[in-house]
Amino acid sequence: MNRIRLTKLMEQSYDFNVKEVLLTAWDLFKRQPLYSVGYTGFIISLELLFLVYLKEYALLFSIFLAGPLFAGFLIAANKIKQDEDVNYQDFFKGFQYYIPVILIWLISQILVAFGLLLLVIPGVYLMVGYSMGLMMHIFAGLDFWDSMEYSRRLVTVRWWKFFVLILILIGINLLGALLILGIFVTLPVTMYALYVVFEMITHKVLTED
């Protein structure tokens, strides 16, 4: 998928159904529940390890580990969606894209935080806009800055619908956190939902000769 095809996609517009995205994400989870829950448990355990026993290094988790770890959900979602065999090791393949993923993860969060500090609205806009950034690199092969920019431009076409989807996903995770163990389900479903909407939007572009 190159920049010309992406530009055409944005010019021609697109649409997606939020309910369909959520149901498809739930279906992906149900097809690999043990790996999904187990991997979520690994991430949460690792984060707690830093927060409880390595407090002075907790920031290092967010900078150097969180991005590649969460990217693993997206790679696994792609394999599940394509009916390929999925192994637990597949969830760790986000580290194959280590440097670009870290740059996308870190720089997008810095820009979002800066936007929130300024007028709030720019930060919210960027938070939603950069939601496809990791997938733009992993599945479209763009460099880190183009991944962020094309994500922002693509999401802007249907920004309000993405905003609603992300609000729902945040709400689901808050509920999951309140139920404690629920987060082991809601977190992977959230990441799968982000993959699903990306795949829905770019499917024809990705498969175009």
Side-chain angles (χ1 to χ4, degrees), residues 17-18 22 37 44-45 47 52 58 73 107 159 174 178-179 196:
N17 184 285
V18 172
L22 296 173
V37 170
I44 292 175
S45 298
E47 186 172 12
V52 176
F73 282 116
I107 294 175
W159 190 89
L174 288 175
L178 288 175
L179 297 174
V196 167

Side-chain angles (χ1 to χ4, degrees), residues 12-29:
Q12 295 169 358
S13 191
Y14 63 82
D15 202 359
F16 63 90
N17 184 285
V18 172
K19 180 179 179 181
E20 184 181 356
V21 169
L22 296 173
L23 290 175
T24 304
W26 175 242
D27 180 65
L28 294 183
F29 173 82

Side-chain angles (χ1 to χ4, degrees), residues 71-108:
F73 282 116
L74 305 173
I75 294 169
N78 176 258
K79 295 196 71 173
I80 299 170
K81 189 70 165 54
Q82 303 303 322
D83 292 319
E84 298 179 13
D85 291 331
V86 178
N87 299 311
Y88 188 59
Q89 293 86 344
D90 291 324
F91 286 82
F92 293 90
K93 289 184 177 178
F95 287 92
Q96 294 180 353
Y97 308 89
Y98 190 69
I99 298 301
V101 163
I102 285 178
L103 290 173
I104 294 168
W105 186 265
L106 180 60
I107 294 175
S108 62

